[in-house]
């Protein structure tokens, strides 16, 4: 066997089934299979999360059967091996971290743009394999091929880095519920997980390897918009920067005005509702505007007074149209909670009624077609990483970003260059965040990764665009 074949770390049916706890499908029982192995450690959940022009981030989990045969997290070391794909040499260790953890996060910088690499992720000498997820087991994925290709950045000098995030849900106590108590949710086994995950986000953005200059949060900062939670999330964000300059927010459906005695001390809103979120942030259906070095940032409040769908009230819409008509060529990023396109309505779990209503969507996209400066519309709400096609001939990327609060637990960085932008999704990386993100993989009866992680291209891509006029 040649050197390359002997170091192959690709998944087999046996290793993937065992890693996912389906050892009953193997010739031996789950417990029997564990006893038969000299090393019962299993490295699973392999994901090549982030691929930039010069770096890659790979994550995985180590588990082992307990006496009853249940797979439980187990500490191990973290090792990543790399080699250029055109090299005859086997992948060599580029990261070897002996710090024991079940939740492995390996980030390597200093790679060459536009080059393909072979990789192996290992713990205690065991190769990590993907979980039984269509997203990572699909033919041609980095997880199945054992290779990835770094991106080629846009031409010109770098200009600005923005962080795009959404769905923090401060005050939530059970993650993964859609209606009533279904599907079964995950209760927190760490300090309140929305607080843990938001703290991890802000910690990430402070670090020099991320260096975000602005943070845009596209709604659902709270679980049910209580005054306590609205003020608490505002206080936490204020430790990172100043509202309206360093970070911008818009309202999501969870942040809408509510009815009930616990809300009566807040600002009155239509139809006996009271708006506690407005006491901490912004009035309902208000357009937010910010300009930075020639870049225009517009935030839309797409929340309805009741319900989970999206709408834009006429006064806010008219102000948006006025701003776009006044300067249609100015580079513009728009963000709002509800996705916009017909494709998003047809592919999200809750259906077309979950996104911006059809009338407002059509008018908004028609306005974008008349405003060539609009290049990206960022939304949340679906808790997934996904790009969808516009319904009109507008050159706008419609991007949904996964939730901060649960698996995969992160944000996207938008790096602007003179000749375009580089977009990458990042998982948050504190110990508590990695633990909670792994725990919530089991939401939606274990199907959450297939719905929310998104394809490699959804998470990591380059768009060429002329931003040479930006300061």
């Amino acid at each position: 066997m040649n050197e390359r074949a002997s170091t192959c770390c690709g998944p087999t049916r046996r290793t993937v089934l065992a890693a996912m706890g389906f050892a009953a499908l193997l010739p031996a029982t789950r417990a029997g299979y564990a006893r038969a192995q000299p090393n019962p450690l299993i490295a699973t959940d392999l994901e090549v999360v982030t691929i930039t022009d010069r770096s890659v981030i790979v994550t995985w989990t180590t588990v082992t059967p307990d006496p009853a045969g249940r797979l439980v997290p187990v500490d191990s070391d973290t090792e990543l091996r790399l080699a250029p794909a055109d090299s005859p040499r086997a992948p060599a260790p580029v990261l070897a971290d002996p710090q024991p953890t079940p939740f492995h996060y390996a980030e390597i910088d200093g790679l060459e743009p536009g080059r393909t690499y072979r990789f192996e992720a290992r713990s205690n000498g065991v190769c990590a394999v993907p979980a039984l997820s269509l997203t990572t087991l699909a033919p041609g994925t980095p997880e199945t091929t054992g290779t990835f290709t770094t991106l080629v950045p846009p031409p010109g000098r770098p200009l600005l880095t923005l962080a795009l995030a959404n769905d923090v849900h401060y005050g939530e106590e059970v993650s993964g519920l859609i209606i009533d108590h279904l599907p079964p949710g995950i209760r927190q086994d760490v300090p309140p997980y929305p607080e843990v995950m938001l703290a991890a986000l802000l910690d990430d953005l402070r670090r020099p390897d991320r260096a975000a200059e602005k943070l845009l949060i596209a709604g659902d900062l709270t679980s049910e918009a209580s005054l306590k939670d609205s003020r608490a999330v505002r206080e936490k964000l204020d430790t990172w920067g100043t509202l309206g300059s360093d970070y911008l927010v818009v309202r999501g459906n969870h942040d809408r005005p509510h009815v009930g005695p616990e809300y009566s001390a807040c600002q009155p809103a239509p139809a006996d509702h009271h708006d506690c979120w407005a006491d901490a942030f912004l009035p309902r259906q208000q357009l937010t505007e910010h300009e930075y070095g020639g870049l225009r940032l517009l935030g839309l409040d797409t929340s309805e007074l009741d319900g989970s769908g999206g709408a834009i009230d006429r006064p806010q819409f008219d102000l948006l149209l006025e701003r776009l008509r006044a300067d249609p060529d100015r580079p513009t990023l728009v963000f709002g909670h509800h996705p916009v396109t017909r494709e998003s309505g047809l592919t999200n779990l809750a259906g077309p009624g979950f996104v911006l209503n059809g009338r407002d969507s059509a008018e908004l996209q028609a306005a974008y077609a008349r405003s060539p400066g609009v290049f990206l519309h960022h939304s949340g709400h679906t808790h997934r990483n996904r790009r969808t096609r516009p319904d009109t001939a507008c050159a706008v990327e419609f991007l949904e970003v996964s939730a901060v609060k649960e698996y995969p637990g992160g944000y996207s960085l938008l790096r602007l260059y003179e000749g375009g932008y580089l977009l990458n999704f990042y998982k948050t990386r504190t110990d508590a965040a990695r633990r909670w993100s792994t725990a919530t993989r089991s939401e939606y009866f274990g199907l959450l990764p297939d719905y929310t992680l998104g394809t490699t291209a959804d998470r990591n891509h380059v768009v060429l665009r002329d931003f040479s006029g930006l300061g």
Side-chain angles (χ1 to χ4, degrees):
M1 183 179 293
N2 63 37
E3 183 179 40
R4 181 172 299 184
S6 66
T7 60
C8 178
C9 202
T12 66
R13 178 176 179 271
R14 173 178 288 276
T15 55
V16 173
L17 288 172
M20 286 298 294
F22 287 100
L25 301 179
L26 298 169
T29 66
R30 181 164 51 187
Y33 175 73
R35 286 193 300 269
Q37 304 307 302
N39 180 0
L41 181 142
I42 298 166
T44 183
D45 302 341
L46 176 69
E47 293 173 355
V48 183
V49 182
T50 309
I51 305 171
T52 76
D53 55 331
R54 294 188 177 275
S55 64
V56 65
I57 299 174
V58 184
T59 64
W60 66 97
T61 308
T62 45
V63 295
T64 194
D66 68 7
R70 295 182 296 264
L71 293 175
V72 296
V74 62
D75 287 343
S76 188
D77 65 323
T78 300
E79 180 184 352
L80 189 66
R81 301 182 179 190
L82 283 183
D86 55 2
S87 169
R89 297 183 178 181
V94 292
L95 183 150
D97 185 357
Q99 181 68 31
T101 180
F103 314 116
H104 304 272
Y105 186 104
E107 180 169 1
I108 299 299
D109 204 350
L111 305 180
E112 295 182 38
R115 190 164 192 183
T116 301
Y117 292 84
R118 289 180 288 123
F119 75 96
E120 296 175 5
R122 295 174 176 264
S123 288
N124 198 26
V126 176
C127 282
V129 298
L132 283 180
S133 165
L134 295 177
T135 301
T136 50
L137 280 179
T141 65
E143 293 84 1
T144 57
T145 62
T147 65
F148 65 88
T149 302
T150 52
L151 300 177
V152 177
R157 61 189 176 90
L159 302 172
L160 173 67
T161 299
L162 304 173
L164 311 179
N166 41 263
D167 295 280
V168 179
H169 289 227
Y170 239 60
E172 185 177 278
E173 296 181 354
V174 182
S175 185
L177 300 180
I178 297 179
I179 54 171
D180 295 328
H181 300 290
L182 294 173
I186 309 296
R187 288 194 172 272
Q188 57 199 40
D189 60 350
V190 294
Y193 60 84
E195 299 176 24
V196 166
M197 300 305 279
L198 178 59
L201 167 69
L202 300 181
D203 175 76
D204 246 37
L205 300 184
R206 288 188 186 102
R207 299 193 192 188
D209 56 359
R210 302 293 183 262
E213 296 161 72
K214 304 287 178 184
L215 169 60
L216 312 183
I217 306 182
D220 278 5
L221 281 78
T222 66
S223 175
E224 292 300 335
S226 71
L227 185 58
K228 174 187 174 184
D229 293 334
S230 299
R231 286 177 173 172
V233 73
R234 169 70 188 271
E235 181 179 352
K236 186 65 178 179
L237 288 168
D238 284 347
T239 67
W240 190 81
T242 302
L243 176 64
S245 57
D246 300 313
Y247 73 93
L248 307 177
V249 302
V250 293
R251 189 192 304 254
N253 60 296
H254 281 267
D255 305 317
R256 69 190 185 279
H258 282 61
V259 175
E262 65 271 33
Y263 298 94
S264 60
C266 300
Q267 295 183 24
D272 299 324
H273 294 64
H274 286 82
D275 195 352
C276 295
W277 198 85
D279 284 357
F281 292 104
L282 303 167
R284 183 174 175 271
Q285 284 288 324
Q286 177 174 303
L287 181 74
T288 66
E289 306 173 69
H290 189 70
E291 188 272 339
Y292 188 73
L295 175 68
R296 179 168 55 187
L297 305 172
L298 298 176
L300 289 171
D301 181 345
T302 57
S303 66
E304 296 178 332
L305 192 59
D306 290 298
S308 59
I312 306 173
D313 287 0
R314 196 70 248 169
Q316 183 185 196
F317 219 143
D318 288 342
L319 181 58
L320 171 68
L321 297 178
E322 176 186 317
R323 296 294 188 265
L324 294 178
R325 281 195 302 266
D327 199 353
D329 296 313
R330 177 184 290 272
T332 301
L333 184 156
V334 183
F335 67 110
H337 188 61
H338 292 81
V340 174
T341 66
R342 186 177 298 115
E343 180 185 347
S344 182
L346 293 174
T347 57
N348 81 83
L349 288 178
F354 200 61
V355 303
L356 190 68
N357 69 57
R359 181 195 66 245
D360 291 348
S361 171
E363 185 174 0
L364 184 63
Q365 292 186 68
Y368 288 170
R370 299 189 300 269
S371 307
V374 180
F375 64 93
L376 188 142
H377 186 114
H378 157 224
S379 58
H381 197 41
T382 58
H383 297 198
R384 63 182 181 174
N385 291 308
R386 188 174 179 116
R387 291 185 294 170
T388 61
R389 297 182 301 272
D391 305 317
T392 61
C394 61
V396 177
E397 175 176 348
F398 290 91
L399 177 72
E400 300 163 39
V401 177
S402 285
V404 171
K405 77 177 184 80
E406 65 193 352
Y407 173 89
Y411 58 94
S412 288
L413 284 187
L414 180 72
R415 297 182 174 97
L416 295 178
Y417 292 74
E418 289 179 310
Y421 61 85
L422 180 69
L423 191 288
N424 296 105
F425 176 78
Y426 291 83
K427 290 181 180 181
T428 49
R429 50 186 158 167
T430 65
D431 290 343
R434 286 185 284 154
R435 181 184 182 207
W436 179 251
S437 180
T438 301
T440 51
R441 287 180 63 94
S442 62
E443 289 178 12
Y444 298 2
F445 303 104
L447 298 176
L448 189 67
D450 277 321
Y451 181 60
T452 61
L453 181 60
T455 67
T456 302
D458 284 329
R459 301 190 306 272
N460 307 284
H461 53 269
V462 171
V463 174
L464 301 181
R465 190 106 180 192
D466 183 6
F467 294 129
S468 58
L470 295 180

